[in-house]
Amino acid sequence: MPLLDTRFPAVVLRIDRNPFHHGTLGAVRSLGRAGVEVHVVADSAGSPVRDSRFVHRTHAPPLPGASPDDVLAVLREVAGRVGRPAVLVPMDDASAIAVARKRDDLAPAYLLPDQPGALAERVADKAELAAVCATADIAHPLTLIPDSAARAAADVRRLGLPVVAKWSRPWLLPAGGDLRSTVLVRSERQARELYLRSEEAGSRLLLQAYLPPGPDRDWFFHGYADRSGALRSGGTGLKRLAWPRGAGLTAVGRWTPDPQVRRAAERLVAELGYRGVLDLDFRRCEMTGRHHLLDFNPRPGAQFRLFEDGAGLDVVRALHLDLTGRPVPDGAPLAGREFVVENYAPQVALRPSPGGRELAWYAPDDRGPGRAMWALWGRHVSRRLWQRLRATVAEQFPPAEPSPSAEPSPFTGPSRFTEPSSSAEPSPAVSQPPATPQPPATPVASPSPASPPSSLTPLTDNEKASSR
């Protein structure tokens, strides 16, 4: 008998338009290899995912910023094409929250975990997470929510520079803008300017005590809470390399057991009554040794394939088994196993790995996405290099003031440099946002202990782009 019930297809959903989201490919391969018919509802036109031999059919996704009703309409259309009940696998926060809100409307066309519709939104909201951690006795960086630009500056003084700034609901950030979900604030002025963009961001600004990165400090937990609330599959992992370094998504992760991290995950699931797949991000405080929870993602993390155990189970397969009424077997943990994202860590991908390794893009039984990724990544890198070249030239040769008697400068007016045409891939790099005055928000504070600031390392979106 096959591991999964192949009578039930799967629909993998993602609203985020990042073509380099390797977690989507991981879900497609995990289910497709088990014989499940996999439908992808995502922007796959420029993504390597469409080249996977395990994709049965692709469908147009909801637009960025789509309301839960818009997501519901798209999923109903897809359900009509699929023609039978399917396991739904949201792969980003926006889709997970919309699906949770519309759970009753999506049944019986889709099989979903049984949990309150507001819970996914509550744990994904960075402001709510501080309160959740306080209730469950989980360490969390001291978090302040200013209600004015002046208060933002005062909160920076209270926390001490540098300070981590986050938008409480990052899935509401406008697509294609320069606002990032997480940045490292280095001045009171920067905090004031960010606060003034609250209306543009669509949610409240949080200022959080900075926990400096370092070796063996960034941890994550992936798991599946079954219908009884027991955590099945998954495990604890150590982020060996991040992109960008010190703050970004997991470029190299290793399955590394840690009882403290697992106990924190178990307490959260029990306290909240959470059901389904979860992805937690922690940073260990060097001074106290405690793991502080930074993010709770109500969906599979991009590196979930790291935790395929001795029974061939990962969190996405556990989801399919549980929702189709099959038992979820307990497999032996494969501690030491690695997960590597080749375009962010090519040198690591070439080294031997005694504990076993899975690559994000390349697979011997599914070569198409790997080839497509390198072609797309080459265009993306060329585009970024061209942008830097133009910026360097503009800095070295600023426009001169025109003189009535002088010949016009070749650097005045429109730039003589034009960017080569390429698909518009999102960049993993962080840019500091300009100021745009907007109205204020409301204060809250987390009572958890803080860690004093130390080295200055830039932060970007946690993956989770995501990858998060």
Side-chain angles (χ1 to χ4, degrees):
M1 183 177 72
L3 177 65
L4 305 187
D5 190 337
T6 57
R7 295 174 299 173
F8 293 90
V11 173
V12 178
L13 170 66
R14 197 182 81 250
I15 297 174
D16 174 60
R17 296 300 175 96
N18 178 11
F20 297 111
H21 191 268
H22 48 273
T24 303
L25 178 61
V28 167
R29 284 173 170 169
S30 177
L31 296 166
R33 285 169 177 151
V36 173
E37 179 182 296
V38 183
H39 294 255
V40 176
V41 185
D43 183 25
S44 57
S47 169
V49 174
R50 67 176 179 175
D51 293 290
S52 173
R53 71 183 187 89
F54 296 112
V55 172
H56 178 79
R57 184 176 177 181
T58 60
H59 307 263
L63 295 174
S67 70
D69 286 329
D70 295 332
V71 176
L72 174 62
V74 169
L75 289 176
R76 279 177 168 166
E77 286 185 16
V78 173
R81 298 183 198 125
V82 174
R84 50 200 165 123
V87 174
L88 186 55
V89 189
M91 292 302 300
D92 61 356
D93 288 348
S95 59
I97 290 166
V99 165
R101 283 190 187 178
K102 296 296 180 179
R103 183 185 182 280
D104 294 340
D105 297 312
L106 289 166
Y110 293 100
L111 307 181
L112 292 164
D114 184 12
Q115 71 175 359
L119 186 54
E121 189 167 358
R122 182 184 175 199
V123 298
D125 187 310
K126 313 300 182 188
E128 294 289 336
L129 186 61
V132 168
C133 289
T135 303
D137 191 27
I138 305 293
H140 185 71
L142 178 63
T143 301
L144 305 175
I145 305 180
D147 59 356
S148 67
R151 173 57 62 184
D155 287 344
V156 165
R157 290 194 296 272
R158 176 181 171 185
L159 294 169
L161 290 170
V163 168
V164 178
K166 297 181 178 181
W167 298 107
S168 64
R169 299 185 171 195
W171 62 92
L172 298 180
L173 290 173
D178 62 346
L179 286 174
R180 297 289 183 250
S181 65
T182 305
V183 295
L184 195 63
V185 169
R186 301 179 183 276
S187 69
E188 294 178 22
R189 176 182 176 182
Q190 188 182 355
R192 287 193 297 266
E193 291 174 348
L194 277 175
Y195 177 83
L196 292 173
R197 303 185 71 180
S198 297
E199 184 173 304
E200 179 187 353
S203 64
R204 295 177 289 178
L205 178 70
L206 282 69
L207 298 175
Q208 198 170 81
Y210 177 57
L211 295 176
D216 302 340
R217 292 188 199 171
D218 287 323
W219 294 77
F220 49 89
F221 176 88
H222 293 197
Y224 175 73
D226 68 14
R227 63 190 68 192
S228 71
L231 278 173
R232 316 299 298 272
S233 186
T236 61
L238 178 62
K239 188 183 291 189
R240 305 290 295 175
L241 182 66
W243 176 266
R245 289 181 180 273
L249 59 82
T250 301
V252 180
R254 180 176 296 166
W255 192 336
T256 309
D258 188 292
Q260 184 184 147
V261 171
R262 185 169 187 93
R263 284 195 299 270
E266 290 170 345
R267 282 203 304 276
L268 280 169
V269 168
E271 178 70 31
L272 297 168
Y274 186 88
R275 301 293 182 268
V277 180
L278 65 153
D279 165 27
L280 310 177
D281 289 320
F282 295 85
R283 177 163 286 179
R284 181 174 57 82
C285 174
E286 184 181 26
M287 295 183 63
T288 66
R290 298 188 72 189
H291 293 76
H292 289 63
L293 181 64
L294 303 181
D295 286 302
F296 188 131
N297 302 301
R299 48 154 176 91
Q303 73 273 32
F304 79 91
R305 283 291 303 156
L306 170 64
F307 299 110
E308 183 183 67
D309 61 24
L313 208 63
D314 58 37
V315 295
V316 169
R317 288 181 176 179
L319 170 74
H320 195 285
L321 285 168
D322 190 45
L323 296 183
T324 57
R326 289 199 168 192
V328 182
D330 292 320
L334 301 180
R337 190 168 189 262
E338 282 190 337
F339 183 84
V340 180
V341 187
E342 309 94 293
N343 49 317
Y344 299 125
Q347 72 284 7
V348 180
L350 297 173
R351 297 174 189 163
S353 178
R357 172 188 292 141
E358 177 151 343
L359 300 179
W361 297 104
Y362 173 78
D365 63 341
D366 191 28
R367 297 173 183 268
R371 289 193 293 263
M373 183 280 294
W374 282 118
L376 184 64
W377 187 250
R379 294 196 298 272
H380 173 72
V381 171
S382 298
R383 175 174 172 266
R384 296 295 298 165
L385 290 174
W386 188 257
Q387 288 174 340
R388 290 183 183 182
L389 174 62
R390 292 180 62 188
T392 301
V393 170
E395 185 177 328
Q396 292 180 352
F397 300 96
E401 289 294 330
S403 170
S405 59
E407 289 293 323
S409 166
F411 293 101
T412 57
S415 171
R416 298 183 302 145
F417 295 90
T418 56
E419 184 176 337
S421 61
S422 65
S423 57
E425 305 94 9
S427 166
V430 173
S431 57
Q432 299 298 336
T436 305
Q438 299 292 345
T442 327
V444 181
S446 165
S448 306
S451 173
S454 179
S455 59
L456 307 181
T457 304
L459 291 177
T460 62
D461 294 356
N462 194 335
E463 46 151 29
K464 287 204 170 266
S466 239
S467 272
R468 219 355 93 148

